[in-house]
Amino acid sequence: MLTVRDSNFIFGSVGSGDAALRINGVAIPVWPNGAFMGWLAVPPDSAPRYEIVAGNKAGVARLSLPIRIPPVADTTRREQPADTLNPPPPPPDSLVTVAGNVYVALGNPSSVVDDTDRVTIAMPEPRESGQVYKWFLFPGTRVKATGYRKLGSLEFVRVELDSAQEAWVLRSELARDSTAPPPGMFVTDTIAPVRRVGAVRLEPAAEWVDVVIPMTGPPPPYLVEQTNRSISLLLYGVKNAPVISMMPQPTDAYLNSVSSTPESDRVRYTINLRSAPYGYLALWKSGILTFRVRRPPHIADMTFPLRGLTITVDPGHPPAGATGPTELYEGEAVLAVGLKLRDLLVARGVNVVMTRTTMDPVDLGLRPIIGRRANSHAFVSIHLDAESDGKNPLVTNGTWTLYFWPHSIPLAQATQNELLQEMGLHDKGVRFQNIAVARGTWMPSILTEGAFIIMPDQEAALRTSAYQEAYARGILKGLESYFASLAQTP
């Protein structure tokens, strides 16, 4: 089933580099290993198939590949009153408001990881796909439910973080009372939670600085934002928070000051730093919110800036993953790259943590947790790219590096620069993307898309030890460049 009606790519292998190939009468280039990639008009509704003919001196092979094509979009102008033959479609799933004061608890144990990383994700708006993840809330956070909406197979609940901020969470994330009859009733209340802040204090340690915020009531909804020299922590639903202005005594080499800006029912804590943010954790336990700001590691030797550090290497997939035209599987190719990167890092005195060393699947959500539990200084997830229907990989292929949190951008940029030199492909840049493995906050975390496995020439190169090592070497040099820059940062 195609998802486009205009043009699309088709790729695969004819098994022999000396074969000529035509698809629906169009000549398609064949690489020396028999792989091919073609960009063709989608067949017409009257002949929904690709007619594939390959031949060489030994003979001719034919294949008729049936496809399904999406229907033509309905462009009828519904506002015309006389258009009675085409009645308007039923309205989309609409918002159902929740009457009265209904406060719900977040954090369904069956749908979140039982770990420090266990959170409920809240979004600015409900979507079937492409959600923007903005808030990462503690289990037990209580918020007011104001609406419900179903979009396709997903059910969303609209909640108030405070009187001035709405968000959406999946209905499955609402906590349930395990003592109630199956499947259990949602944990609700009709009384708004009361949260008050006690005496805030700083607790510096060798590897981090804790901003300790005692509170009454349940954990608050919160939002973390960053600039190039500060981190702000916005707490919602907090009454009468005191104004604070604190500087560590004696002077701290990393933390400059902490100040607060209270409003009617929220408070923002601004943590000013002497250099760029490196990592953090938000922790809640027994009425205390601890915001742990991680110090950058001390780089003692500019010649070997990675020596003594811990780096998590994550060969992406399985499960899922892309497959090339001669059936090279992404999970297999990136494992070879990851193992080569491990060896290069170990030779430089790095403690390497691998999320996998075999082809056994590793849960997507567990991968960044492995890195945090190891107290890693960086997390790199290694991938190979493909393309979706309607996009021409002959044009769009290249190398790019992805991040989620702003403090990961410098590592992403340094790695992208080095990968371009090693891989020799088109620069697709450094971009934000909502990727699960890069959402850890304790360290800079990135995902590399070094090459396009569906491109015949790149797939063939990725089968070679030399190109696998080039990919690994690009990541190594990116890590070295980034951590060397930390030693130079004033």
Side-chain angles (χ1 to χ4, degrees), residues 219-275:
Y222 70 94
L223 173 68
V224 177
E225 297 175 301
Q226 303 176 31
T227 71
N228 62 348
R229 287 292 188 275
S230 71
I231 305 175
S232 78
L233 172 65
L234 177 62
L235 305 185
Y236 300 95
V238 175
K239 300 290 186 181
N240 303 318
V243 176
I244 64 167
S245 179
M246 300 186 296
M247 300 182 69
Q249 298 295 330
T251 301
D252 191 282
Y254 183 54
L255 177 66
N256 185 17
S257 63
V258 178
S259 61
S260 70
T261 308
E263 299 179 25
S264 59
D265 56 356
R266 61 172 63 174
V267 57
R268 183 185 298 274
Y269 295 96
T270 302
I271 303 164
N272 298 300
L273 306 172
R274 300 186 186 277
S275 58

Side-chain angles (χ1 to χ4, degrees), residues 106-107 118-120 136-141 219-220 222 282-284 289-290:
L106 304 179
R118 174 182 172 181
V119 296
T120 289
F136 299 82
L137 307 178
F138 296 119
T141 299
Y222 70 94
L283 308 167
W284 175 268
L289 193 162
T290 300

Side-chain angles (χ1 to χ4, degrees), residues 90 97 151 222 228 303 339-340 346 421:
T97 59
L151 289 177
Y222 70 94
N228 62 348
T303 307
L339 294 174
K340 285 179 167 58
V346 168
Q421 297 298 315

Side-chain angles (χ1 to χ4, degrees), residues 35 72 144 175 190 201 270 336 365 391 439:
V72 176
K144 184 178 181 180
T190 58
R201 64 184 185 273
T270 302
K391 295 182 180 179
R439 288 202 292 262

